[in-house]
Amino acid sequence: MGGAGKPHLTSHLFSFGLAILIVFANLVAAEQPPQDEAAPAPDSGQKEFKEAGVCVRCHIVSVLEWGISGHRQAATTCQSCHGRSEGHVANERNEIKPQRLPRGADIAGQLCLTCHQSGCPESKQLQTCQQCHHVHALVHPTQPRAADSDHTNDILQRWDGFKAHMARGRQHVENQQWTSAHAAFQSALKLIPDDRRARMQWNMCRRRIDPAMPGFRIVGDKVESATGLPRDVEVVGFDIKMGMVPPGEFDIGSNALADSQPVHTVRVEPFYLGRSEVTQAQWRAVMDTNPAGHQGESFPESKTLPVERVSWDDCMQFISRLNDRVAGGGFRLPTEAQWEYACRSGANQAFRPNDIGASSWYRANSLRNAEPESEFLELEAYAPRPVGTRRPNRWGFLDMQGNVGEWCSSMWRPYVYDRNDGRESNGQAGLRVVRGGSYADPSAGLDPALRHAERPNRRLRFNGLRLARGVPPPALPKSIDRSK
Amino acid sequence: MVLAGGLGGAGGVAAATQPPFREFRRGGMLYRRLGQTDLFVSTLSFGSHTNPAYRVAAERGTALNEDGQALRDRHIAKAFDRGVNMVDVYENAGQWQPMAQTVRGRRDKVLVSICRQFSQFAGRHIDAAAGLFGHVDLYRIALNPGPDIDEKTFEDWDAIRRAKRMGKVRAIGVSLHDERKMVSCLKELEGLDFIMFPYNFIHARADYSEFLPKAIEQGVGLIAIKPLAAGSIAKLDPMARPGSTPEDPRVRLYKRGNRPVHPAVVEKLTRSLNRIPGESLCQAALRFVYSKPFITSAMPGMFQEQELDDNYDAISRHLELSHRLSHTELNVLAAAQDLSRARGPGWLPSHYRWLDRCWRT
């Protein structure tokens, strides 16, 4: 039996491993935050995962095995055999074992016979159940079911085809043959529609073929390689320059700040962000008014000063009007995760207050008059400065720290940051996050991780805004798009 | 009373479901949580007013001469020994530097309370204070009377909140005398941790009917300033006890009123006080404040060692006797109210007489 059974077992294990890989890919896709615009809904995943609840977090293989068993169909769950095992679930270091975990010959007596009291219906055996039944899958431990073979072969064939198309596509990308590469990735997506990498490559090629984006005029010829998006754009009809923020993950927060704990990893999808804060002139061009506190004869350069004394509600109105007037719309405030990611330029290093002098306007260099500092200064002694007059950060964004604080779309809620927990809902009442610190803050107030929040109707002379715009993914053909 | 040790070993689940403890006792001192912060303040705290008899003019406001400073340092050191853990520090009384020296070495045990009294930018003021004291435990701005909070106050408040987020300040608040503005502060000032407001048994007749319920509901910490009505309650005391004699003969704190009062009123108060052996009117007044669980701390100004002793004893009596005042004790307060009414606004110092109008409404 050993010689005949071995290839079967190997094949079975290989296909089983492949199935796990595919399921994993689905899981990873399901955990990604939704993109700004309508993206295809990820596959809902394996039903047995939902039914198994918390157990699947660690015992994926066991749950997959259980998923094909008669036990699952009979709603006999993990707890039915192993007990509720709350201590085991809560103890991440696995120092507490499940309530019932018999091994070997004890399994029949302690588990199987508690329900199947008269023994096996076929063999009438009262012991050694595991000779004929896999402990979780219940099927024969070494003989795959006939129906599994076709299913496995189908998966293997699709997988091989997928890999071939992806390799071909990547080759075309290297040769900058965007149309051919696009076709190759589309073929790959037809085989495995939910594959994230294939989708990204397909998007990138599509954008390379047709880089135009409604409402944007492309500036220069620099393109972000992973997404195919132009790095620099300008809002048509308004002198607002924006830059591409590449997708990626970073560690948000700081363990040195009470409201910014814990440090945790957040994924950010690609988006466009204003190269600088919205100026008084730009605000006036959209709203026909200028609420800023720093204007008039004392501030001859006021057109290039960042707009301030705008509330979060005012910003929503500004954005609404801009969206009405620019093709494609889609402008918004950045989320606080997007803001911090762009401020850090994707890097995770700690904030060094002594390094910001060249890149930021803050209390130490924002005195209106260059007179020696008095001990007794009122707030009016400080003022914002024209945007873009300090050194940009690594990704080319100006005044991310200092000058004026920047409203974010996010509602104030404690970390962990989860954009799907309602904090990004515009309709809810509550404090809104302000980031970046202002000209009146000390250097410590410019920490990229420092979270501040204010009432959405409050207009303060420290707070302004910076525009963001999501990047809608190109629409998939109907033959691939499973969300349709 | 819930003791600190009672919940010390509570697990995470239990801690999440049980309300945090509000007060505990250590030695002869009672400590209460300041609103919803993690600060516990002694129910007797040390006020910022300095003894006028020792004041000298300084660049900004006043300072104490050498004798006065030595005396104040001694009083504060004694207060710390008695368990007082919060001291209010006025910049314009010249107390920043002396206090920074006094608290050095015990900074982890002392809460420093700083007030912005002038119109300087609060963010910068905090940095100066934090530079001297390491950090500021309680920071507040003193607000002028008037119902509305102006835009500049909002901007200062924003700077204060930012300083708190940076860890430079632990609790932020305001001090003021106007009830309508207190209500505005509760409504408008985001993240308000505490309010310092005048509260004593005479003032309580105005009962803050709008402010207090809202403040209690919001969980804002309340610190009673003027618990002895700027020293005037001492002046109502018909029993000028020998122990209350000022250390400096130029200060006549316990002087008699300068206006004749009907002897029957004085006699009534005297008779009532005689029924509470060993208690002065000031102690009864402080015990009235301590008996209110919503008051975190009472902050009388203390110029003399005797006053510190008296005020400390009031806590002991509060802890030993009862949290609620007896009928006799309430009678004392009622008689003192009658006496203050009989004296008219003159029972308060001249610069505080406007308060009498508020307190009688």
Side-chain angles (χ1 to χ4, degrees):
Chain A
M1 183 177 166
K6 213 170 184 180
H8 270 299
L9 185 60
T10 311
S11 158
H12 190 72
L13 287 174
F14 178 70
S15 59
F16 198 64
L18 182 61
I20 290 172
L21 267 178
I22 293 170
V23 168
F24 245 135
N26 281 343
L27 267 183
V28 170
E31 284 174 1
Q32 301 306 325
Q35 295 177 346
D36 285 311
E37 317 305 331
D43 195 328
S44 57
Q46 301 282 318
K47 283 185 180 171
E48 58 262 42
F49 284 4
K50 286 182 184 165
E51 293 168 19
V54 69
C55 306
V56 75
R57 281 179 7 201
C58 302
H59 307 283
I60 293 177
V61 173
S62 300
V63 169
L64 284 169
E65 290 167 346
W66 168 80
I68 63 167
S69 72
H71 270 167
R72 181 192 160 212
Q73 289 161 16
T76 304
T77 63
C78 309
Q79 286 85 357
S80 307
C81 292
H82 297 294
R84 290 180 59 81
S85 308
E86 287 158 331
H88 173 68
V89 171
N91 181 256
E92 292 185 358
R93 299 175 69 181
N94 198 25
E95 293 155 332
I96 302 172
K97 295 299 176 190
Q99 285 171 344
R100 290 194 294 272
L101 195 64
R103 303 282 185 190
D106 294 338
I107 295 176
Q110 293 185 23
L111 292 184
C112 307
L113 293 182
T114 55
C115 294
H116 307 282
Q117 289 161 357
S118 54
C120 179
E122 285 189 16
S123 67
K124 308 300 180 191
Q125 276 274 356
L126 291 171
Q127 297 174 350
T128 62
C129 308
Q130 276 65 53
Q131 281 186 357
C132 302
H133 299 282
H134 182 276
V135 68
H136 286 130
L138 302 186
V139 295
H140 196 284
T142 55
Q143 295 170 6
R145 288 181 300 180
D148 279 355
S149 301
D150 293 342
H151 182 59
T152 306
N153 287 337
D154 179 47
I155 290 177
L156 285 173
Q157 277 180 8
R158 286 170 61 189
W159 182 244
D160 287 341
F162 176 82
K163 284 194 292 187
H165 288 309
M166 289 295 287
R168 194 157 49 84
R170 278 194 284 268
Q171 188 64 45
H172 289 309
V173 167
E174 276 186 23
N175 298 330
Q176 301 198 353
Q177 296 164 330
W178 307 117
T179 311
S180 306
H182 179 257
F185 292 129
Q186 186 157 321
S187 302
L189 277 171
K190 276 182 184 167
L191 293 174
I192 302 183
D194 296 325
D195 187 87
R196 184 177 177 80
R197 287 161 304 171
R199 179 70 203 268
M200 281 177 62
Q201 295 281 9
W202 186 90
N203 286 347
M204 183 270 289
C205 294
R206 189 66 189 266
R207 287 173 182 135
R208 287 287 194 158
I209 295 166
D210 180 14
M213 279 183 289
F216 275 163
R217 186 177 71 77
I218 297 170
V219 179
D221 55 2
K222 287 183 183 165
V223 175
E224 206 279 318
S225 57
T227 59
L229 289 162
R231 286 224 178 124
D232 293 287
V233 295
E234 193 176 280
V235 180
V236 174
F238 299 90
D239 183 26
I240 300 175
K241 294 181 172 54
M242 300 183 85
M244 225 288 291
V245 179
E249 290 185 346
F250 80 111
D251 289 348
I252 195 172
S254 163
N255 286 332
L257 298 164
D259 293 322
S260 306
Q261 300 178 37
V263 175
H264 56 286
T265 302
V266 171
R267 177 164 183 84
V268 177
E269 298 303 326
F271 69 102
Y272 280 94
L273 187 69
R275 283 285 179 210
S276 57
E277 290 149 344
V278 171
T279 63
Q280 294 184 24
Q282 289 164 347
W283 183 277
R284 186 186 285 280
V286 176
M287 302 295 283
D288 300 326
T289 58
N290 182 8
H294 300 91
Q295 55 175 315
E297 287 180 7
S298 306
F299 298 93
E301 75 286 24
S302 64
K303 281 185 180 177
T304 55
L305 291 178
V307 70
E308 21 77 21
R309 274 195 176 147
V310 289
S311 66
W312 188 87
D313 293 334
D314 295 335
C315 295
M316 289 296 106
Q317 279 193 16
F318 173 83
I319 285 167
S320 171
R321 285 202 191 183
L322 189 65
N323 283 334
D324 288 344
R325 293 168 64 176
V326 176
F331 291 96
R332 60 199 302 283
L333 291 173
T335 67
E336 64 171 320
Q338 287 175 328
W339 188 92
E340 187 170 330
Y341 179 59
C343 181
R344 292 176 181 273
S345 304
N348 283 332
Q349 73 257 29
F351 172 59
R352 291 196 293 268
N354 294 336
D355 291 352
I356 58 167
S359 60
S360 310
W361 293 113
Y362 63 115
R363 194 190 295 164
N365 60 13
S366 293
L367 271 176
R368 282 178 62 183
N369 301 315
E371 64 196 23
E373 268 201 286
S374 152
E375 279 190 20
F376 192 93
L377 285 174
E378 298 200 11
L379 179 54
E380 288 79 3
Y382 305 94
R385 298 300 169 92
V387 300
T389 48
R390 299 307 262 183
R391 200 175 60 196
N393 73 2
R394 203 161 57 87
W395 283 349
F397 295 103
L398 296 146
D399 302 311
M400 289 297 292
Q401 292 152 290
N403 222 6
V404 289
E406 297 173 16
W407 285 105
C408 292
S409 60
S410 312
M411 184 182 295
W412 173 264
R413 285 194 183 172
Y415 278 168
V416 171
Y417 179 85
D418 177 2
R419 65 170 295 161
N420 298 316
D421 68 0
R423 71 179 71 205
E424 295 302 340
S425 164
N426 283 352
Q428 290 193 39
L431 301 181
R432 295 287 167 171
V433 172
V434 181
R435 290 297 206 110
S438 77
Y439 63 89
D441 280 313
S443 57
L446 274 56
D447 189 330
L450 185 71
R451 308 173 72 209
H452 188 51
E454 191 50 85
R455 295 188 185 191
N457 61 351
R458 194 78 84 210
R459 298 183 177 104
L460 301 177
R461 71 176 87 185
F462 316 118
N463 295 339
L465 76 155
R466 182 186 298 265
L467 276 179
R469 192 187 201 192
V471 180
L476 281 171
K478 279 183 186 171
S479 59
I480 297 175
D481 191 350
R482 296 204 338 193
S483 66
K484 299 282 190 295
Chain B
M1 183 171 65
V2 182
L3 296 178
L7 286 172
V13 175
T17 51
Q18 290 184 16
F21 63 94
R22 306 296 309 174
E23 65 178 35
F24 65 91
R25 176 180 178 175
R26 197 178 78 207
M29 184 57 75
L30 183 65
Y31 298 84
R32 286 179 176 161
R33 185 187 291 275
L34 181 69
Q36 296 179 336
T37 69
D38 58 356
L39 302 180
F40 279 85
V41 182
S42 53
T43 45
L44 175 66
S45 44
F46 207 99
S48 51
H49 282 292
T50 53
N51 193 335
Y54 298 102
R55 279 183 200 156
V56 291
E59 186 183 351
R60 203 177 310 160
T62 60
L64 289 176
N65 65 22
E66 204 170 315
D67 290 347
Q69 193 60 56
L71 201 58
R72 184 176 166 87
D73 290 348
R74 202 176 78 211
H75 293 162
I76 289 175
K78 184 171 182 182
F80 289 158
D81 291 345
R82 290 285 179 105
V84 170
N85 75 344
M86 185 172 87
V87 58
D88 198 38
V89 192
Y90 267 15
E91 188 180 14
N92 75 337
Q95 289 305 301
W96 274 26
Q97 294 288 350
M99 187 54 65
Q101 283 189 352
T102 304
V103 300
R104 195 169 296 152
R106 53 177 134 196
R107 187 68 187 86
D108 58 328
K109 296 177 183 65
V110 176
L111 303 176
V112 173
S113 165
I114 298 284
C115 178
R116 191 201 65 170
Q117 301 152 287
F118 308 110
S119 60
Q120 74 260 52
F121 177 39
R124 196 180 145 77
H125 191 236
I126 288 171
D127 278 359
L132 195 58
F133 293 100
H135 67 274
V136 178
D137 297 289
L138 288 82
Y139 187 87
R140 71 183 192 277
I141 44 179
L143 296 179
N144 295 325
D148 296 322
I149 303 170
D150 59 30
E151 198 168 323
K152 199 167 173 189
T153 302
F154 282 130
E155 285 165 345
D156 274 317
W157 187 251
D158 189 73
I160 294 169
R161 289 176 59 220
R162 285 174 191 262
K164 186 182 172 189
R165 292 194 194 287
M166 290 175 224
K168 295 178 178 181
V169 181
R170 296 177 71 186
I172 56 178
V174 291
S175 58
L176 67 171
H177 295 80
D178 184 302
E179 185 183 8
R180 280 197 301 165
K181 199 157 196 168
M182 291 177 205
V183 174
S184 296
C185 289
L186 290 174
K187 191 178 161 194
E188 300 291 342
L189 296 185
E190 195 62 50
L192 183 70
D193 289 321
F194 69 92
I195 291 184
M196 288 191 187
F197 72 119
Y199 190 79
N200 54 56
F201 70 89
I202 294 175
H203 195 180
R205 296 176 70 196
D207 80 6
Y208 294 110
S209 59
E210 191 180 1
F211 163 66
L212 271 181
K214 283 185 178 168
I216 293 166
E217 187 189 341
Q218 280 184 223
V220 171
L222 298 171
I223 296 174
I225 53 176
K226 301 186 177 59
L228 300 177
S232 299
I233 286 173
K235 287 190 275 181
L236 294 177
D237 195 339
M239 308 162 77
R241 295 181 300 152
S244 299
T245 310
E247 290 170 358
D248 185 329
R250 289 172 294 178
V251 180
R252 295 185 56 78
L253 187 70
Y254 283 70
K255 67 188 174 189
R256 302 278 180 176
N258 53 7
R259 197 179 140 182
V261 178
H262 196 285
V265 178
V266 179
E267 197 214 329
K268 185 181 164 191
L269 179 57
T270 310
R271 199 170 351 109
S272 302
L273 275 171
N274 278 335
R275 293 175 65 184
I276 315 173
E279 180 156 275
S280 69
L281 179 58
C282 291
Q283 286 178 337
L286 277 177
R287 288 214 289 127
F288 171 84
V289 178
Y290 297 148
S291 71
K292 307 294 179 187
F294 51 81
I295 297 289
T296 305
S297 183
M299 188 184 275
M302 291 178 271
F303 302 157
Q304 303 160 38
E305 211 155 319
Q306 180 65 40
E307 290 170 4
L308 176 63
D309 290 340
D310 280 0
N311 296 343
Y312 179 75
D313 288 348
I315 297 173
S316 304
R317 294 178 74 89
H318 168 74
L319 289 169
E320 285 163 16
L321 297 175
S322 164
H323 282 221
R324 298 187 65 179
L325 300 184
S326 68
H327 184 67
T328 310
E329 289 157 345
L330 289 172
N331 272 349
V332 167
L333 300 181
Q337 283 168 356
D338 290 345
L339 188 54
S340 73
R341 196 179 301 115
R343 285 206 168 141
W347 76 282
L348 280 166
S350 55
H351 61 293
Y352 278 130
R353 280 177 192 167
W354 58 276
L355 273 172
D356 192 67
R357 286 195 301 278
C358 306
W359 295 0
R360 302 289 181 187
T361 53

